[in-house]
Amino acid sequence: MATITETGHAKNAANFDVLINCTIGYGADYQPTKALLAIPALQSQSAAAHAALRTVNASLPAYNNAVALRNEAFEPLNPLLTRVF
């Protein structure tokens, strides 16, 4: 079974959650002028990011299997192509 490590996008999503928790800790003092930086907007972005990560993690095994099958199908051609050249 493949292991999932906390690197790349997964780490960014986790750090984004930490950022949201820090802004929640400011309480009423956190009042951004842009609506996109408000806590509800940040939380919805975080939910979308986690949903996208789940989708990628769910489709990754099928992709890896397809790549492995393609590599396996083309493997016998390497010696043949060498002889042809």
Side-chain angles (χ1 to χ4, degrees), residues 14 28 31 48-49 51 55:
Q31 296 179 359
T55 302

Side-chain angles (χ1 to χ4, degrees), residues 3-58:
T3 60
I4 298 175
T5 57
E6 285 272 336
T7 61
H9 298 305
K11 185 76 168 180
N12 290 339
N15 286 337
F16 189 55
D17 289 339
V18 171
L19 175 74
I20 292 171
N21 288 333
C22 288
T23 58
I24 290 172
Y26 285 123
D29 291 336
Y30 182 71
Q31 296 179 359
T33 55
K34 291 191 174 200
L36 290 175
L37 297 176
I39 291 173
L42 294 176
Q43 289 172 332
S44 68
Q45 279 294 95
S46 175
H50 287 290
L53 283 173
R54 281 191 300 275
T55 302
V56 168
N57 288 336

